[in-house]
Amino acid sequence: MEKKRLIGHTEAQLKAIAKNLGMPAFTGGQIARWLYVQHVSDIDEMTNISKKNRDILKQEYCVGAMTPVDCQRSTDGTVKYLFPAECGKTVETVFIPDGERATLCVSCQVGCKMGCKFCMTGRQGFHGHMSAADIISQFIAVDESDRLTNAVFMGMGEPLDNYENVMRVIEILTADWGFGWSPKRITLSTIGVLPNLKRYLDECKCHLAVSLHDPFGPERLSVMPAQGAWPIQDVIDLIKQYDFTGQRRVSFEYTMFAGFNDTKAHADALFRMLKGLECRMNLIRFHKIPDFPYETSPDVIIENFK
């Protein structure tokens, strides 16, 4: 019988596993530190747990971290990893160095349900949620794991559509028994899944990035079907109910499409939409994909828009 994975469980869950196996609850805390502080790959490396208890644990469980099956390295230091997921397919994870910052761009779903027409992941369709174990493996198994300073949930998938697993990973990243990161080191990107967006804003202190791309509803709907379920104005109205003047930051992602969303009328509409909200706007050059009619805006247009 295939063994269950320890990785991806919180300290409370690991304590429950330990108690269920007849061990003291504090053993679960020891396991958590071996997994998330020491990054062990085998239960036998958990040397402050008795051999008897390690043997009991090994009967049903393994560490269970996934390792990449491929990677591509760029001359600028960026590394693109290919990780296996439990469903049998693969996802991308990208390590991005930038001076003293070392950011990991992680995936949370295999494919995506949202169907944004300018996104290659959206064209793949949806093949499944990634487990917390698969998501946290991306942090542990990259070669640069010890160098990481920041994380962005901006890889494949919509994080707020896999809310429970993503939030469990954020707990592991920010807990004292886990990675011990400040929430300020983590950014979650979303198109604006309203029910779970409110939960995220209420329950989490990490940064937020919103894929906006067009302030006009009908235009946004033509390239982002999710606009029909969660209109961007409703998303902005919700965000404005929260305080972003302190340590938590909100930013908006805006991919520039030539002749589509790069006019002064669009810039004026964005100004009106976001007025009064302490935020950042990231203007993004579009990388051309097949069967999508738009090119990226010329540099001079992007500068004028800015």
Side-chain angles (χ1 to χ4, degrees):
M1 183 175 64
E2 186 174 344
K3 293 183 179 181
K4 293 172 281 190
R5 303 163 76 184
L6 290 171
I7 202 125
H9 287 94
T10 65
E11 183 184 51
Q13 292 171 325
L14 292 168
K15 287 181 176 180
I17 289 171
K19 287 185 68 175
N20 188 53
L21 294 175
M23 305 175 193
F26 69 77
T27 304
Q30 293 174 314
I31 295 170
R33 285 162 178 79
W34 283 114
L35 293 175
Y36 305 129
V37 179
Q38 300 298 327
H39 297 175
V40 298
S41 59
D42 191 277
I43 290 171
D44 280 331
E45 297 177 66
M46 303 178 181
T47 51
N48 65 348
I49 299 173
S50 71
K51 185 178 186 305
K52 174 186 174 182
N53 283 341
R54 278 182 273 153
D55 288 341
I56 292 172
L57 194 59
K58 285 191 296 182
Q59 290 178 14
E60 293 188 34
Y61 290 90
C62 62
V63 169
M66 293 291 198
T67 55
V69 296
D70 193 15
C71 71
Q72 296 178 347
R73 298 180 183 274
S74 171
T75 54
D76 66 2
T78 300
V79 186
K80 183 185 290 186
Y81 289 92
L82 196 65
F83 272 90
E86 288 179 358
C87 68
K89 295 186 179 291
T90 53
V91 297
E92 290 183 351
T93 306
V94 184
F95 170 75
I96 308 167
D98 183 15
E100 295 183 355
R101 291 172 64 93
T103 300
L104 195 68
C105 179
V106 298
S107 295
C108 62
Q109 292 182 316
V110 183
C112 186
K113 298 178 186 177
M114 301 303 138
C116 298
K117 295 183 180 179
F118 50 86
C119 175
M120 289 299 290
T121 300
R123 293 189 180 186
Q124 295 179 20
F126 177 70
H127 300 284
H129 295 303
M130 293 180 67
S131 66
D134 280 347
I135 299 172
I136 202 68
S137 290
Q138 297 170 77
F139 290 87
I140 292 172
V142 296
D143 293 340
E144 301 81 7
S145 178
D146 292 339
R147 293 173 51 194
L148 298 178
T149 64
N150 296 81
V152 291
F153 286 83
M154 294 183 181
M156 296 172 66
E158 163 57 60
L160 294 187
D161 190 44
N162 188 14
Y163 188 82
E164 302 299 337
N165 286 321
V166 168
M167 291 303 293
R168 190 192 300 180
V169 168
I170 289 176
E171 180 181 352
I172 293 168
L173 291 174
T174 56
D176 291 341
W177 47 261
F179 283 56
W181 284 16
S182 165
K184 294 187 296 182
R185 297 170 63 177
I186 302 166
T187 301
L188 179 145
S189 178
T190 178
I191 62 165
V193 181
L194 277 172
N196 286 339
L197 176 58
K198 186 176 191 312
R199 290 181 64 190
Y200 176 78
L201 292 172
D202 288 337
E203 298 172 4
C204 186
K205 298 301 181 185
C206 297
H207 299 314
L208 174 69
V210 177
S211 294
L212 200 164
H213 306 303
D214 200 303
F216 298 124
E219 288 182 0
R220 189 172 188 263
L221 179 62
S222 72
V223 294
M224 300 179 69
Q227 167 71 15
W230 306 297
I232 190 60
Q233 187 61 61
D234 292 351
V235 174
I236 303 302
D237 290 344
L238 173 65
I239 291 171
K240 285 185 175 180
Q241 298 175 28
Y242 293 82
D243 181 14
F244 289 96
T245 59
Q247 296 191 353
R248 181 163 61 172
R249 183 178 69 241
V250 60
S251 59
F252 294 93
E253 311 298 319
Y254 198 91
T255 303
M256 304 290 292
F257 303 119
F260 179 75
N261 66 348
D262 60 357
T263 70
K264 186 175 185 301
H266 290 88
D268 290 343
L270 284 173
F271 179 82
R272 292 191 299 270
M273 176 177 279
L274 302 177
K275 187 175 182 180
L277 180 61
E278 185 76 19
C279 64
R280 296 183 179 184
M281 176 69 70
N282 295 325
L283 303 182
I284 303 169
R285 290 179 176 85
F286 176 56
H287 295 278
K288 180 69 175 173
I289 63 173
D291 302 320
F292 185 73
Y294 299 107
E295 306 279 346
T296 193
S297 302
D299 286 353
V300 65
I301 298 294
I302 296 176
E303 287 296 325
N304 289 340
F305 193 91
K306 180 178 121 178

